C-alpha cells in the first residue's frame, strides 16, 4: 500500500475535512494520525528478520538475500528442518512473514 493510499484511507476513516468551521476537527485529526500510525506500525512489524527463527507450523513468505521470494508450508525451528527450507538451506534468509499476516482481514 502506498503512502497516498494510507493518507486517503485515514481521512475517510476519521471523517477529516478541510472545513475550518468543523468543531470536531481536532478529534478527527487525532483519529487520522492514529490510523496512519497504525498502518505504519503494521507494515514495519509484519516482516521478521532472517536471523529470527521461525518456530511454528504454517505458511510463510520468505525473502532470500538474492531478492528471491518463495512461499513455504510447515516450518524450521532450532536447527531442525521441519520442511520449510527444503532445497534452499544453503541460501541466506533476509526476512520472512506469516502469509496469514499479509492477507486482508475478512
Amino acid at each position: 500500500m502506498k503512502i497516498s493510499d494510507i493518507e486517503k484511507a485515514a481521512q475517510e476513516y476519521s471523517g477529516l475535512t478541510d472545513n475550518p468551521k468543523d468543531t470536531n476537527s481536532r478529534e478527527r485529526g487525532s483519529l487520522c494520525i492514529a490510523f496512519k500510525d497504525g498502518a505504519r506500525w503494521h507494515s514495519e512489524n509484519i516482516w521478521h528478520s532472517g536471523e529470527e527463527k521461525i518456530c511454528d507450523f504454517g505458511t510463510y513468505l520468505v525473502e532470500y538475500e538474492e531478492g528471491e521470494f518463495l512461499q513455504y508450508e510447515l516450518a524450521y525451528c532450532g536447527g531442525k528442518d521441519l520442511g520449510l527450507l527444503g532445497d534452499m538451506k544453503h541460501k541466506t534468509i533476509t526476512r520472512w512473514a506469516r502469509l496469514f499476516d499479509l492477507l486482508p482481514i475478512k
Side-chain angles (χ1 to χ4, degrees):
M1 181 176 272
K2 296 182 286 187
I3 292 174
S4 60
D5 295 335
I6 293 171
E7 291 276 343
K8 183 179 176 187
Q11 286 182 349
E12 289 174 6
Y13 173 78
S14 66
L16 189 63
T17 66
D18 293 332
N19 182 356
K21 295 181 181 180
D22 183 0
T23 57
N24 296 318
S25 65
R26 187 171 267 192
E27 290 173 12
R28 293 179 200 273
S30 294
L31 276 175
C32 188
I33 291 168
F35 184 98
K36 291 187 283 186
D37 287 348
R40 187 178 309 109
W41 178 90
H42 182 264
S43 66
E44 291 173 357
N45 289 284
I46 201 165
W47 289 96
H48 301 268
S49 165
E51 295 173 4
E52 185 179 337
K53 299 298 178 203
I54 303 170
C55 284
D56 196 9
F57 289 96
T59 305
Y60 296 86
L61 185 62
V62 177
E63 180 183 15
Y64 289 98
E65 196 171 47
E66 298 80 16
E68 182 178 15
F69 283 90
L70 292 173
Q71 176 185 323
Y72 290 102
E73 299 290 330
L74 301 177
Y76 179 83
C77 184
K80 183 177 179 185
D81 186 0
L82 301 175
L84 174 71
L85 299 178
D87 296 333
M88 307 301 281
K89 289 182 207 173
H90 61 283
K91 293 193 174 194
T92 303
I93 295 175
T94 303
R95 61 185 182 156
W96 59 269
R98 291 174 186 86
L99 194 58
F100 177 81
D101 293 337
L102 295 168
L103 298 174
I105 298 170
K106 293 183 180 181

